Amino acid sequence: MSSERRIVIIGEILVEIMADTIGEGFNDPLPLTGPYPSGAPAIFADQVGKLRHSVGIISCVGDDDFGRLNQKRLEEDGVNISGIDVDKDRPTGTAFVRYRKNGSRDFVFNIKHSACGHLHLTPGAKKQIDEAEHLHVMGSSLSSQEFMDLNIKTATDIKARGGTVSFDPNIRKEILSTAGTAESMQAILGMTDLFLPSGDELTMLTQADEASTAVDELLGMGVRAIVHKHGAEGATYHDADGPISVPPFTVDEIDPTGAGDCFGGAFTTFWLRGEAPSDALKMAAAAGALAVTERGPMEGTSDLSQIHNFIRANAKAS
């Protein structure tokens, strides 16, 4: 096991195209901006890569400009893209996004029928999986039985060779009713070392109704650390020694998409590097705050110097 645990993530890569105006849906012609590199696993990987930690992504893009845009960005930011296949027949996945007045969003997705909706386990992908020492699982990527099975097998193999697993459920409650999803999530949770839920995801996979009892249940089943993300209200870390909370950083929010993935990528990196939980939490919060200051889901990923400078600037301001 190397001193820097190599991370692998299996999941979707797509482009995001954003409406320039606030409103309801896409029922009339309207101005759009993009394409932006996107996909929750890709944003997570990009943030890890920006921190110069070894990370690779297993996915597929189309033989098109959208796919090339994503590969270029990820490679430039330090992500190992040897596990990305190019599908000659299917296009790169897309997400058209429009914000409503209340801050919620309308989406038009093409994932299931796109390149990233199908599993392409190439020799490059197999090599990455065989060499990985940490698996990050994103609930949004458990979109089919084959993706569920590969994540479970990879987690099992990595744990067997002394590695670790982090898990961000990143899923709506209604999706749990999809055949096999709840069972797959429970299987992943049973191998999870670091759990990164947002909001009510903390209790979603437990028998508990309240946060405190959910934390006890999760720690009791073998989860070593829990980071409960509260969005603009900060985050709380839990382990056997008790909770640690970090307040949010105040920034002018431009686009919140991807902030949780940047937070998760940063915290996982620092956690694997053995940083004190309080320090890892503060730096992850900074990464999440920086993410919302740029338009586009991957445009706000940050490197270590940006994170440190941001924290110092906020300390002076306070």
Side-chain angles (χ1 to χ4, degrees):
M1 192 71 65
S2 66
S3 58
E4 178 177 288
R5 294 199 169 194
R6 289 168 288 199
I7 300 172
V8 70
I9 183 167
I10 303 162
E12 66 275 11
I13 293 176
L14 53 137
V15 293
E16 185 168 306
I17 297 167
M18 302 175 66
D20 293 341
T21 59
I22 293 173
E24 300 286 331
F26 294 88
N27 300 302
D28 297 290
L30 72 162
L32 304 165
T33 300
Y36 294 107
S38 190
I43 300 166
F44 176 97
D46 195 77
Q47 178 58 74
V48 175
K50 288 286 276 290
L51 294 171
R52 295 299 175 251
H53 193 101
S54 178
V55 61
I57 185 168
I58 310 303
S59 190
C60 186
V61 296
D63 185 17
D64 52 38
D65 287 346
F66 291 168
R68 287 182 280 274
L69 172 75
N70 271 287
Q71 290 185 89
K72 182 174 182 289
R73 169 63 64 82
L74 291 167
E75 187 171 36
E76 286 178 347
D77 288 347
V79 179
N80 184 338
I81 65 169
S82 65
I84 301 176
D85 194 24
V86 178
D87 191 319
K88 301 292 184 181
D89 299 317
R90 298 182 181 91
T92 300
T94 54
F96 288 80
V97 185
R98 191 179 195 191
Y99 283 91
R100 303 188 186 106
K101 289 182 179 179
N102 64 2
S104 63
R105 293 168 291 179
D106 287 311
F107 287 96
V108 177
F109 285 114
N110 176 26
I111 296 178
K112 183 177 180 180
H113 301 291
S114 73
C116 68
H118 300 264
L119 187 60
H120 297 246
L121 200 54
T122 63
K126 290 177 182 177
K127 185 174 186 294
Q128 277 203 47
I129 289 172
D130 289 344
E131 294 177 351
E133 296 150 309
H134 181 89
L135 172 69
H136 182 72
V137 181
M138 195 73 73
S140 63
S141 301
L142 304 178
S143 55
S144 69
Q145 194 61 52
E146 60 181 358
F147 280 101
M148 296 177 198
D149 291 345
L150 180 59
N151 272 285
I152 291 170
K153 182 181 186 306
T154 302
T156 302
D157 291 347
I158 286 176
K159 293 285 285 188
R161 55 181 183 256
T164 47
V165 173
S166 54
F167 179 28
D168 184 338
N170 190 26
I171 197 166
R172 298 187 304 276
K173 189 173 184 178
E174 58 269 24
I175 300 298
L176 290 175
S177 61
T178 303
T181 302
E183 294 79 4
S184 295
M185 289 231 170
Q186 288 295 337
I188 294 293
L189 187 60
M191 293 182 276
T192 293
D193 299 280
L194 172 61
F195 188 47
L196 297 151
S198 297
D200 62 4
E201 290 174 349
L202 177 66
T203 59
M204 194 180 295
L205 299 177
T206 71
Q207 300 299 312
D209 295 322
E210 297 181 356
S212 59
T213 50
V215 167
D216 291 341
E217 182 179 333
L218 290 162
L219 294 175
M221 71 172 61
V223 176
R224 289 165 50 191
I226 302 160
V227 179
H228 189 196
K229 295 174 285 181
H230 309 304
E233 297 179 4
T236 305
Y237 172 90
H238 302 269
D239 65 11
D241 295 326
I244 301 170
S245 292
V246 63
F249 288 100
T250 302
V251 294
D252 292 328
E253 181 181 293
I254 294 174
D255 180 11
T257 302
D261 305 318
C262 290
F263 179 103
F267 187 89
T268 301
T269 298
F270 297 128
W271 182 79
L272 287 172
R273 291 176 178 175
E275 296 280 356
S278 57
D279 294 334
L281 203 59
K282 181 184 289 187
M283 290 187 285
L290 284 164
V292 309
T293 63
E294 299 289 342
R295 192 164 193 244
M298 205 181 287
E299 306 310 300
T301 55
S302 50
D303 61 29
L304 191 57
S305 64
Q306 289 173 303
I307 289 172
H308 285 321
N309 290 339
F310 177 82
I311 292 173
R312 281 194 292 267
N314 276 266
K316 291 178 181 178
S318 60

